[in-house]
Amino acid sequence: MLTETAYGDPRTDFWPRVRQFAVPPSVIETATARRRSGDWAGACAAAGVDVDLDLRRLTRTHGRELASLVRADLRHLAPDLLRWHMPRIAPDGLLRPGLTLTLARYRTQRHDRNQAVHLAVRTPPAWADAEQRMSLLVWSGDGDPVPGALHHPHTRPDRRFRLDLHRHLWDARRTGELRERSGADRPPDGAPNTLAEDGHGTADDAVGRPAVDRWAREAELLLRADGLAPGPVLVRLGSRRRLVLEPALGTDPARITAAPPGGAASALPVLPHAATWTPPDVELLRTGALTADRLHPLVADSLAPGRRTVGPAPAARLPGDPHLVDCRGARHRIALVDGVLTALDHEPAEVRREELLAELTGAPLPCVRAIDEAHRRPDCLEGMHERLRHGDVTGALDVLEGLLGPRAVLRDGPLRDALEATARQRLTYGLFRAGLIGPGPGPRGVRPDRAGPGSIPPDHRRSRDSRPHPRHATAR
């Protein structure tokens, strides 16, 4: 396409930054170590997943057999791998908000086909998101006592976003299936894909290229898993196009047609999102936009077996190395001294005088100006924002301490504003999970866009309709 030639392919331009910041290597290492030691709850905590299920309560309500199945899946849950493969939205690659996604479904004698018990993961709505956290829960349709369910927009598992048919995207026992299920074991056919022009780059999805060659096989798996006879399947390409996949009849291949207008196609089974698109990691490897050592280890082992992992590239400059500044016709040094960024070639009294001059709107020395800029607008600010958007607060603070020192006091500026906004949003997330704040007005909720993140609505505030003396009352 001409736009891809001029502006670059969004599939290869967008995803490398997501892969760099969304799941940091430190999270993968910690979660993997805890999972291998049998601490599945600790692995979830390391990956930013809140555990909202009680296995004892599950045993009482659904029996020991189902609880043992859930416990076995939890032992092999790789929450860092799940975060790696979760649906994301453009333009920042954040987790798709307000989503309840099925990881596994269980059937017992107490539940019929339409009341299966789901092991699910849930993302908060965008206004309540903090640090890109998710929650792990068990959903059965018999009420939802999970924290945050009171004001969640979609508490029922979404039939489009489901991973129970793609366990290789979260189950450490089946990660080897990714190569075959993603089509990475077959070379690309090179044929032009006309669906790709309308399928990717939508405003609400961060997706790749439609995996048309796999749709028929994935549709068979879907219908067989749901106990349905062979028939048409609905395929959704973002929010722009809906297609109907007709099954193969005899020697005739499967047929793809546009979905009829109206709601007739909504009753059809929906091809899962994970089966609709080619995983971005496959295209990143094929195009060379990303190397195998920058992928999640479990993903790299499946998509690029036998390749040597070289690990992350070393930093260009160590935090303790001095930074050179042109000051008064000479090259002066700025470095960390006792945990504080300091001008090494100026006396403390001189630095203090220059700081007072800056407070009086004067022009200080270049060394003092460089230190002030580092506190307000450091050169790593864009990386800091990316880390904060994706919930890597620990990584952001490590970069900050490496640049300014662990004893630095931030000054007013965009860096301090970003950290304060992150702290306020964490409070909003806590209130949302406690059911004390929501998107609509009422005694237990307030519109976040009106009150601001983190504000607590007063319980005594009354709406206009509940006033004791309405406007249409009789005259005094």
Side-chain angles (χ1 to χ4, degrees):
M1 291 169 40
L2 180 60
T3 54
E4 291 186 1
T5 304
Y7 301 106
D9 189 345
R11 293 182 296 274
T12 55
D13 293 344
F14 170 85
W15 281 103
R17 293 188 64 81
V18 176
R19 292 306 187 223
Q20 180 182 359
F21 294 106
V23 189
S26 58
V27 170
I28 297 175
E29 294 173 4
T30 305
T32 301
R34 294 179 180 179
R35 172 177 58 81
R36 289 176 175 174
S37 66
D39 184 11
W40 64 268
C44 289
V49 179
D50 298 312
V51 179
D52 291 335
L53 58 87
D54 186 347
L55 291 177
R56 293 183 178 179
R57 182 177 181 274
L58 186 64
T59 303
R60 292 194 302 267
T61 55
H62 297 91
R64 292 182 178 273
E65 180 182 357
L66 186 140
S68 63
L69 294 175
V70 174
R71 187 180 290 106
D73 283 338
L74 292 175
R75 290 197 185 103
H76 298 281
L77 167 66
D80 50 313
L81 181 64
L82 171 64
R83 179 175 290 275
W84 185 275
H85 289 298
M86 281 289 289
R88 298 182 177 273
I89 59 172
D92 297 323
L94 302 182
L95 297 177
R96 189 178 184 91
L99 178 66
T100 301
L101 181 148
T102 298
L103 299 181
R105 295 193 303 174
Y106 312 94
R107 306 199 186 282
T108 65
Q109 296 179 353
R110 303 184 184 186
H111 293 82
D112 59 21
R113 177 178 301 175
N114 297 324
Q115 293 180 329
V117 177
H118 296 243
L119 177 64
V121 64
R122 180 174 290 168
T123 59
W127 62 265
D129 172 63
E131 301 177 14
Q132 289 286 273
R133 299 193 68 84
M134 304 181 292
S135 58
L136 187 68
L137 65 142
V138 170
W139 185 90
S140 62
D142 301 332
D144 201 342
V146 178
L150 180 63
H151 299 298
H152 196 278
H154 305 290
T155 57
R156 179 179 295 273
D158 195 314
R159 65 192 188 118
R160 177 189 173 199
F161 297 95
R162 48 185 291 190
L163 296 183
D164 55 306
L165 304 180
H166 300 267
R167 295 177 69 106
H168 55 280
L169 301 183
W170 62 268
D171 192 331
R173 296 168 294 186
R174 302 177 60 174
T175 55
E177 301 175 9
L178 174 62
R179 182 173 176 82
E180 179 184 357
R181 295 288 296 273
S182 64
D185 58 335
R186 300 182 299 275
D189 53 12
N193 192 338
T194 57
L195 295 176
E197 298 183 3
D198 294 330
H200 76 271
T202 57
D204 62 337
D205 280 306
V207 293
R209 186 179 297 276
V212 184
D213 56 333
R214 295 190 295 113
W215 284 0
R217 174 58 179 163
E218 293 290 342
E220 293 178 5
L221 296 176
L222 168 67
L223 297 175
R224 189 183 307 121
D226 290 350
L228 301 176
V233 172
L234 180 66
V235 181
R236 292 185 55 183
L237 296 179
S239 58
R240 295 183 181 181
R241 290 187 67 180
R242 299 199 309 166
L243 306 174
V244 174
L245 177 66
E246 301 283 351
L249 297 176
T251 58
D252 297 334
R255 214 161 39 99
I256 301 175
T257 58
S266 301
L268 296 176
V270 181
L271 192 70
H273 182 270
T276 306
W277 306 97
T278 300
D281 299 324
V282 175
E283 292 195 50
L284 292 174
L285 286 177
R286 286 174 175 172
T287 59
L290 209 64
T291 54
D293 55 286
R294 298 295 183 260
L295 296 176
H296 190 289
L298 295 176
V299 176
D301 291 343
S302 179
L303 296 183
R307 294 196 182 183
R308 186 172 63 91
T309 355
V310 297
R317 186 176 67 89
L318 296 176
D321 292 346
H323 180 71
L324 300 180
V325 177
D326 292 328
C327 181
R328 290 181 175 179
R331 302 282 282 179
H332 288 178
R333 300 163 300 161
I334 295 177
L336 295 178
V337 177
D338 295 331
V340 178
L341 195 62
T342 307
L344 301 180
D345 298 306
H346 296 276
E347 295 294 334
E350 183 183 12
V351 172
R352 180 57 183 160
R353 287 197 303 269
E354 294 295 326
E355 291 176 345
L356 291 176
L357 178 63
E359 293 178 1
L360 296 174
T361 68
L365 291 173
C367 287
V368 177
R369 194 160 58 242
I371 294 176
D372 185 68
E373 285 294 318
H375 281 78
R376 302 179 193 274
R377 299 178 179 273
D379 53 3
C380 64
L381 184 59
E382 183 61 30
M384 290 279 294
H385 277 165
E386 292 284 352
R387 286 177 170 85
L388 292 177
R389 284 194 198 103
H390 290 286
D392 186 17
V393 178
T394 302
L397 294 179
D398 289 343
V399 172
L400 181 62
E401 290 185 1
L403 178 70
L404 304 179
R407 298 176 56 188
V409 178
L410 289 181
R411 303 168 187 178
D412 292 338
L415 178 56
R416 182 171 179 174
D417 294 342
L419 292 173
E420 289 180 349
T422 300
R424 289 194 301 268
Q425 196 61 20
R426 184 182 297 181
L427 176 60
T428 302
Y429 177 73
L431 294 174
F432 161 73
R433 283 178 54 80
L436 298 177
I437 186 171
R444 301 188 65 192
V446 64
R447 292 182 62 89
D449 54 346
R450 295 182 181 177
S455 61
I456 304 177
D459 291 339
H460 63 272
R461 183 180 302 172
R462 295 185 179 182
S463 64
R464 178 173 297 180
D465 296 334
S466 61
R467 290 179 303 185
H469 302 288
R471 293 182 183 273
H472 58 271
T474 56
R476 296 178 183 175

